[in-house]
Amino acid sequence: MKSLLPLAVLAALALAALCYESHESMESYEISPFINRRNANTFMSPHQRWRAKAQERVRERNKPAYEINREACDDYKLCERYAMVYGYNAAYNRYFRKRRGAE
């Protein structure tokens, strides 16, 4: 019974220390996670935007053949369904190779 009072006081102090809500925990509520359309690109400088566009152009130009074939197959629904069963390479060969040879 004598140890019950200090134990209760210790538990109350531990509860107060652990449940204290500091100012730092409220910082995440101050800013909305969504940005309006006008301010969407303000975090990037114009130089960074230009560089990102240039890199994207280089990536588009240097795509491997299998990626180009896969994109062509993704645009055609029958080819995409066939690819789910047999793979993109077989689907591309079935739907697009014959067309190129016939022309």
Side-chain angles (χ1 to χ4, degrees):
M1 196 67 172
K2 290 181 181 181
S3 63
L4 186 60
L5 184 62
L7 187 61
V9 171
L10 186 62
L13 288 175
L15 184 69
L18 293 175
C19 294
Y20 172 73
E21 189 159 346
S22 65
H23 175 68
E24 288 83 23
S25 66
M26 294 300 288
E27 287 179 0
S28 61
Y29 298 117
E30 293 174 4
I31 300 173
S32 173
F34 301 105
I35 301 173
N36 66 19
R37 291 180 184 174
R38 287 187 181 185
N39 296 332
N41 288 329
T42 56
F43 63 93
M44 287 182 70
S45 69
H47 178 70
Q48 287 175 325
R49 270 184 257 151
W50 177 84
R51 189 173 180 194
K53 286 179 185 177
Q55 287 175 348
E56 183 64 27
R57 286 189 201 115
V58 168
R59 274 188 238 114
E60 286 289 326
R61 213 176 330 149
N62 296 334
K63 277 188 182 176
Y66 68 87
E67 183 68 26
I68 295 169
N69 295 350
R70 185 175 184 149
E71 287 179 1
C73 197
D74 281 341
D75 292 338
Y76 188 52
K77 201 65 164 172
L78 291 175
C79 183
E80 187 177 7
R81 288 183 189 158
Y82 191 86
M84 291 300 155
V85 178
Y86 299 105
Y88 279 99
N89 197 21
Y92 182 81
N93 288 338
R94 178 178 174 148
Y95 288 100
F96 295 104
R97 291 271 188 230
K98 290 180 183 177
R99 290 183 187 172
R100 286 189 179 178
E103 292 177 355

